[in-house]
């Protein structure tokens, strides 16, 4: 009989999957076929028995195990074996199925499971026939079975057809007619590229197909596989399996650049990279000898997991979750096993224990990835910069040039010691103060008078004196003499100083000492709370420093925040520079002369925004708001330009340099080193020229980096063996036994000589002894073409997963794929040129 849509009462679009992977033809034992344990018996036991008598000792009842050969056929102390081969009436397993005793019958009534009469009969026949047992089919290495004989050999195009036709013929069925040329070409085009063909290509194909159908199809398949769209379409499926995403996935869900990994996957498919290399580079590209940039990018497969920077999370919990994600992803993608079931307990059905789970996690715990992504695109772990082709030559040259100039600069340091000693002997406080940045200084407020509520403002032009809103207290331990101690009602105002706009570069800051108790509030700025905090302000927020530029609406703002840098009770120099870009990235925070690892957000001030406000410059609190209490301040400076790193450091080092100079022979080594650095930066022109060259080269490198994409990679911790701890019930804080990195005990061991790290794991995945990787991979590719896998549960090849609808075909394809170097194009061409694929739906 011919198979037609009406034969099955299904739509033409659904027929192809039903025809090729005949779910309607599920293999069950019948009188004409030998009973197969894997095909016929194990599914019955798995469904009804293994939850109580399977691999998990925690859930095992009566110490009885039915998922192993020994458990089924060996005597247990005084109890007989559950199965006596050839003797169903004497086999405890069979007797428990047919008894009428409600206390003895299995499965027990409260399990709500019951075997069908035909299933009980099948078990009886199996025992009568000698109860042949098999290891689970997925754990047996695939081999190529001899191609089955078929009656209609003329229909066969390649081995796929041999298996499919043999199965059809055993059911008394015949293949459907071949699809017409137009439909076939559209089908091939969509399956190989994801795109429909052009009308011109359709007509060309049809014209050629009528004269040489096989040759025309073969040539067009090759042509489509040479197109960029081939790799893009294949990558679409792989990236879904790899849980690819260009955002962090949790909390704020900020952008991150993973797309270089996406492009690597596309290039790999378009280059027809052997699947073994494709796998090794994604699992362990960083551990290969002298890894290339592309091999590092490939490890992004492991970095596609969701991450977080949410403040309520716990570092160790996040790291445990990241490792769990990688074990589970590898289990689904490469092994087709639900490894996630063993995170808390031994697997209920498959031979995969909790120990196996954490031994696999050990491979992924020995990395440099941090627990937090910091809500930035480059946060949370190792990244690499990917320069454009135009920038790449310079990017490669810069490290050498930087190293050469740094060597020359360091040599100059050694050559100026005698000249430095002469300078030091003649230097005065005025010498040091003259080196401080003076260009575009708009205001300097020393705050060192020691009495009164008004004082001097030093600047190039006439400016008003400052005034406090209440009685100032003064402390004697300032950085530059006595310093005012602010109170909630004693904020200092300084008229119209610091009148800046969003598109104007400027810099400002001061010395500050905070009390032991954490404080929160504005240190310095012009901020109008009546206009939604319009203006700019430098603030202390507990342990952090922040700077904000705000327009009329509080949501129209840019901001940067430091790490936890505040040291209560200590004087600290806090300074901010801004480049006038209206972007958060244009803000830089310095603490004690060092650029903090600032965390700008990604916002930009709107085009029409303005930060100018009529409120005066204030030190120690916003207008009409309580000020900072018990906070000492001194030496406020404001500039109408963006200061350089060197200039900010000079301002921070100033008091220490003066103290060191005045200490004379009693100066400390640190003070002497600081004076020497000052001399090099300001007094020695040769050193300054070399240092300028070095700064320019490093700035060029940063500019290239800033305009280049980056991508997250994996990086192994050096000189440390991978290990993990078993987490009881999967809880990050219930730490159990330490385990080393090894594969699951029920599967093959690491290849001989393979290292116990991710490189060894990658080699284990693609080892010819691995029964799962080739089957799982071929099944996934088959599903991409036919809509349903030969195993219709592509991520579960375990005992509870679906049995293959055509096991011999799956094994033949898996062995062929493995033995031909993992040639993806070869496999796809075999599928889409088969007569099976070419049938009409």
């Amino acid at each position: 009989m011919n198979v037609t849509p009406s034969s099955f009462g299904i739509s033409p679009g659904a027929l192809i999957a039903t025809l090729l992977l005949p779910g309607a033809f599920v293999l069950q034992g019948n009188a004409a076929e030998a009973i197969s344990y894997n095909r016929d018996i194990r599914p019955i036991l798995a469904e009804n028995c293994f939850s109580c008598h399977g691999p998990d000792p925690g859930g095992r009842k009566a110490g009885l195990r039915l998922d192993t050969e020994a458990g089924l056929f060996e005597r247990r102390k005084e109890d007989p074996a559950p199965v006596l081969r050839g003797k169903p009436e004497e086999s405890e397993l069979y007797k428990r199925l047919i008894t009428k005793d409600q206390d003895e019958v299995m499965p027990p009534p409260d399990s709500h499971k019951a075997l069908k009469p035909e299933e009980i009969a099948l078990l009886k026949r199996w025992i009568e026939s000698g109860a042949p047992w098999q290891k689970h089919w997925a754990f047996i290495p695939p081999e190529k079975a001899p191609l089955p004989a078929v009656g209609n050999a003329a229909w066969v195009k390649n081995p796929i057809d041999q298996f499919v036709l043999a199965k059809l013929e055993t059911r008394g069925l015949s293949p459907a007619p071949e699809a017409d040329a137009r439909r076939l070409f559209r089908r091939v085009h969509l399956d190989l590229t994801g795109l429909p063909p052009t009308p011109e290509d359709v007509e060309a194909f049809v014209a050629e197909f009528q004269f040489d159908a096989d040759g025309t199809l073969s040539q067009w398949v090759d042509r489509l596989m040479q197109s960029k769209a081939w790799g893009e379409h294949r990558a679409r499926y792989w990236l879904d399996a790899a849980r690819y995403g260009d955002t962090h996935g949790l909390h704020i869900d900020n952008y991150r650049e993973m797309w270089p990994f996406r492009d690597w996957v596309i290039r790999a498919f378009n280059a027809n990279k052997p699947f073994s290399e494709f796998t090794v580079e994604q699992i362990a590209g960083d551990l290969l000898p002298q890894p290339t940039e592309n091999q590092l990018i490939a490890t992004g497969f492991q970095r596609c997991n969701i991450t977080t920077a949410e403040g309520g999370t716990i570092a160790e919990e996040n790291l445990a979750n990241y490792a769990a994600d990688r074990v589970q992803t590898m289990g689904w993608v490469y092994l087709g096993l639900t490894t996630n079931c063993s995170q808390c307990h031994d697997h209920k059905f498959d031979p995969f224990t909790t120990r196996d789970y954490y031994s696999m996690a050990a491979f992924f715990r020995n990395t440099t990835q941090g627990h937090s992504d910091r809500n930035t695109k480059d946060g949370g772990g190792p990244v690499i910069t990917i320069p454009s082709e135009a920038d790449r030559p310079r990017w490669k040259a810069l490290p050498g040039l930087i190293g050469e100039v740094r060597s020359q600069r360091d040599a100059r340091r050694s050559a100026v010691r005698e000249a430095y000693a002469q300078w030091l002997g003649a230097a005065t406080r005025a010498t040091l103060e003259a080196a401080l940045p003076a260009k575009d200084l708009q205001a300097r407020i020393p705050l060192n008078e020691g009495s009164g509520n008004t004082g001097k403002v030093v600047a190039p032009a006439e400016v008003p004196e400052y005034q406090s809103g209440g009685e100032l207290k003064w402390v004697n331990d300032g950085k530059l003499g006595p310093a005012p101690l602010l109170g909630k009602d004693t904020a200092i105002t300084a008229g119209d100083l610091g009148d800046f706009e969003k598109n104007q570069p400027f810099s400002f800051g001061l010395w500050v000492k905070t009390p032991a108790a954490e404080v929160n509030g504005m240190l310095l700025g012009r901020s109008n709370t009546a206009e939604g905090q319009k203006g700019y302000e430098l603030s202390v927020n507990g342990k952090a420093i922040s700077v904000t530029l705000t327009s009329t609406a509080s949501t129209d703002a840019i901001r940067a925040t430091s790490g936890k840098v505040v040291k209560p009770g200590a004087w600290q120099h806090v300074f901010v520079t801004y480049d006038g870009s209206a972007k958060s990235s244009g803000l830089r925070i310095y603490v004690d002369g060092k650029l903090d690892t600032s965390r700008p957000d990604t916002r930009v001030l709107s085009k029409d925004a303005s930060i100018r406000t009529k409120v005066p410059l204030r030190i120690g609190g916003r207008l009409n708001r309580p000020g900072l209490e018990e906070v000492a301040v001194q030496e406020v400076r404001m500039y109408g330009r963006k200061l350089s790193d060197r200039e900010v450091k000079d301002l921070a080092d100033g008091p220490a340099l003066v103290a060191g100079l005045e200490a004379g022979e009693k100066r400390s080594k640190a003070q002497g080193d600081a004076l020497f650095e000052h001399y090099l930066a300001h007094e020695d022109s040769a050193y300054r020229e070399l240092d300028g060259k070095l700064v320019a080269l490093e700035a060029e490198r940063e500019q290239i980096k800033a305009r280049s994409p980056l991508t997250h990679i994996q990086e192994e911790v050096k000189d440390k063996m991978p290990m993990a701890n078993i987490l009881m019930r999967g809880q990050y804080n219930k730490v159990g036994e330490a385990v080393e990195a090894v594969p699951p005990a029920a599967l093959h061991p690491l290849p001989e000589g393979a290292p116990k790290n991710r490189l060894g794991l990658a080699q284990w995945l693609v080892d010819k002894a691995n029964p799962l990787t080739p089957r799982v991979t071929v099944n996934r590719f088959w599903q991409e073409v036919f809509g349903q896998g030969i195993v219709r549960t592509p991520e579960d090849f375990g005992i509870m997963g679906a049995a293959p609808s055509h096991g011999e075909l799956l094994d033949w394809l898996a062995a062929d794929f493995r033995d031909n170097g993992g040639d993806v194009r070869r496999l796809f061409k075999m599928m889409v040129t088969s007569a099976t694929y070419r049938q009409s739906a």
Side-chain angles (χ1 to χ4, degrees), residues 28-311:
Q28 292 291 343
N30 56 45
E33 291 180 311
I35 296 175
S36 163
Y37 178 77
N38 272 337
R39 183 191 65 205
D40 305 317
I41 303 303
R42 190 191 298 273
I44 299 174
L45 298 179
E47 176 64 28
N48 297 282
C49 308
F50 285 179
S51 60
C52 295
H53 303 296
D56 181 14
R60 195 178 300 146
K61 304 294 177 61
L64 176 63
R65 188 168 182 180
L66 300 178
D67 66 308
T68 65
E69 186 175 18
L72 277 170
F73 302 113
E74 291 183 6
R75 184 183 183 89
R76 296 184 307 125
K77 297 181 180 179
E78 69 279 2
D79 296 327
V83 174
L84 298 177
R85 287 186 165 101
K87 302 176 181 179
E89 285 77 8
E90 298 179 31
S91 297
E92 193 68 19
L93 174 67
Y94 179 68
K95 289 194 294 181
R96 288 296 191 99
L97 295 176
I98 62 174
T99 182
K100 302 300 183 183
D101 187 337
Q102 293 298 298
D103 293 330
E104 295 289 324
V105 69
M106 289 290 162
D110 60 4
S111 71
H112 305 292
K113 294 179 181 292
L115 274 69
K116 299 174 183 176
E118 56 267 29
E119 292 175 327
I120 296 174
L122 191 60
L123 283 166
K124 182 181 181 182
R125 283 180 48 215
W126 171 65
I127 298 173
E128 288 174 337
S129 66
W133 187 87
Q134 295 171 298
K135 193 176 182 179
H136 180 54
W137 66 269
F139 299 151
I140 303 170
E143 299 293 340
K144 281 187 174 182
L147 298 180
V150 295
N152 183 15
W155 182 77
V156 172
K157 303 291 184 183
N158 62 40
I160 291 174
D161 303 328
Q162 202 102 358
F163 286 101
V164 171
L165 182 59
K167 185 57 59 182
L168 289 173
E169 290 179 345
T170 62
R171 303 303 188 211
L173 301 173
S174 300
E178 184 170 272
D180 68 76
R182 281 184 170 80
R183 286 183 172 85
L184 177 60
F185 188 55
R186 179 179 174 82
R187 182 188 299 170
V188 169
H189 220 287
L190 288 169
D191 284 336
L192 295 186
T193 69
L195 302 170
T198 65
E200 295 76 16
D201 284 348
V202 172
E203 296 308 317
F205 178 85
V206 171
E208 297 166 15
F209 190 79
Q210 60 182 319
F211 297 108
D212 180 10
D214 293 345
T216 298
L217 179 59
S218 176
Q219 291 171 12
W220 274 93
V221 167
D222 290 341
R223 192 179 306 176
L224 292 174
M225 287 182 175
Q226 292 298 326
S227 71
K228 185 180 179 182
W230 154 258
E232 292 171 342
H233 194 47
R234 298 280 69 79
R236 181 173 70 85
Y237 293 102
W238 185 259
L239 293 170
D240 279 349
R243 75 270 191 254
Y244 170 80
D246 271 319
T247 65
H248 295 303
L250 284 175
H251 190 34
I252 297 176
D253 197 22
N254 269 349
Y255 171 70
R256 67 181 177 193
E257 285 176 327
M258 290 303 304
W259 62 261
F261 168 67
R262 175 202 66 195
D263 288 1
W264 177 87
V265 174
I266 294 171
R267 292 195 303 271
F269 278 116
N270 278 330
N272 201 30
K273 184 183 286 289
F275 193 78
S276 58
E277 293 180 22
F278 182 71
T279 294
V280 169
E281 292 180 9
Q282 290 180 91
I283 301 297
D286 59 308
L287 295 175
L288 294 172
Q290 297 181 324
T292 65
E293 179 182 272
N294 278 326
Q295 288 169 336
L296 293 175
I297 292 172
T299 64
F301 173 82
Q302 297 169 63
R303 300 295 307 281
C304 286
N305 61 291
I306 59 175
T307 59
T308 186
E310 199 275 318

Side-chain angles (χ1 to χ4, degrees), residues 14 79 171 285 289 322 401 466 627 644 812:
D79 296 327
R171 303 303 188 211
Y322 298 163
L401 294 172
Y466 73 77
S644 68
W812 194 97

Side-chain angles (χ1 to χ4, degrees), residues 315-595:
E316 187 55 35
E317 183 178 18
N318 287 349
L319 292 173
N321 288 340
Y322 298 163
D325 168 89
R326 286 162 193 151
V327 173
Q328 293 164 18
T329 299
M330 193 193 68
W332 291 324
V333 172
Y334 282 104
L335 303 180
L337 294 177
T338 53
T339 57
N340 51 302
C341 294
S342 297
Q343 185 174 359
C344 302
H345 51 74
D346 290 348
H347 204 291
K348 296 291 185 183
F349 302 99
D350 296 330
F352 197 85
T353 66
T354 302
R355 186 183 189 87
D356 290 329
Y357 182 93
Y358 289 100
S359 293
M360 294 291 276
F363 287 107
F364 301 105
R365 289 300 302 257
N366 196 43
T367 68
T368 62
Q369 182 181 8
H371 72 278
S372 169
D373 57 42
R374 303 201 308 270
N375 285 324
T376 61
K377 71 176 185 177
D378 60 346
V383 296
I384 57 171
T385 301
I386 314 297
S388 67
E389 289 305 311
D391 282 334
R392 190 171 293 273
R394 189 63 177 169
W395 178 256
K396 288 182 176 180
L398 280 169
L401 294 172
I402 289 171
E404 180 182 349
V405 175
R406 182 177 284 114
S407 296
Q408 294 172 358
R409 188 194 65 173
D410 292 346
R412 181 62 187 173
R413 291 174 66 92
S414 301
V416 299
R417 285 292 178 177
E418 185 175 341
Y420 163 67
Q422 294 176 1
W423 172 84
L424 186 60
T428 65
R429 176 191 285 260
T431 304
L432 298 177
E433 291 179 346
L436 296 178
K439 181 184 177 184
D440 294 322
L441 176 66
Q442 292 197 354
R444 177 190 169 209
I445 310 176
L447 295 172
N448 63 353
E449 296 85 350
S451 63
N453 296 322
T454 62
K456 59 186 176 181
V457 176
V458 181
E462 288 294 326
V463 292
E465 292 184 333
Y466 73 77
Q467 296 181 337
S468 71
E471 187 67 28
L472 282 174
K473 295 180 182 179
W474 292 80
V475 294
N476 294 321
D477 64 342
K479 297 298 289 187
L480 302 166
L485 189 66
L486 301 174
K488 66 178 182 179
D489 298 319
T490 54
I492 296 171
T493 60
D496 202 31
L497 295 175
D499 184 19
F500 300 122
E501 185 51 281
K502 69 167 188 195
N503 57 358
Q504 178 184 356
F506 60 94
S507 306
F508 64 109
L510 73 170
W511 283 93
V512 61
K513 183 172 77 169
T514 60
E518 289 188 359
V519 293
N520 295 273
M522 188 178 83
L523 289 169
L524 174 65
R526 296 181 65 157
S527 182
N528 191 344
T529 55
E531 296 182 82
Q533 293 182 211
K534 181 181 181 181
Y536 63 90
E537 62 179 68
L538 173 63
S539 301
V540 58
N541 306 111
K543 296 288 187 182
I545 300 295
S546 66
V547 58
T548 309
L549 275 60
T550 310
S551 182
T552 50
S554 60
T555 54
D556 192 4
I558 58 176
R559 180 184 178 92
T561 305
S562 77
K564 295 181 179 180
V565 295
V566 175
K567 299 176 182 178
W571 280 100
Q572 292 180 278
H573 188 257
V574 179
F575 217 79
V576 171
T577 66
Y578 170 62
D579 64 3
S581 64
K583 299 178 181 178
S584 292
S585 57
L587 292 165
R588 294 162 74 91
I589 299 174
Y590 297 80
V591 179
D592 292 330
K594 296 179 181 178
L595 177 64

Side-chain angles (χ1 to χ4, degrees), residues 664-682:
E665 296 299 323
K666 295 181 180 180
R667 71 177 60 95
S668 67
K669 182 180 182 302
Q671 289 174 325
D673 290 344
L675 285 165
F676 182 55
E677 293 296 331
H678 175 86
Y679 170 80
L680 290 171
H682 295 281

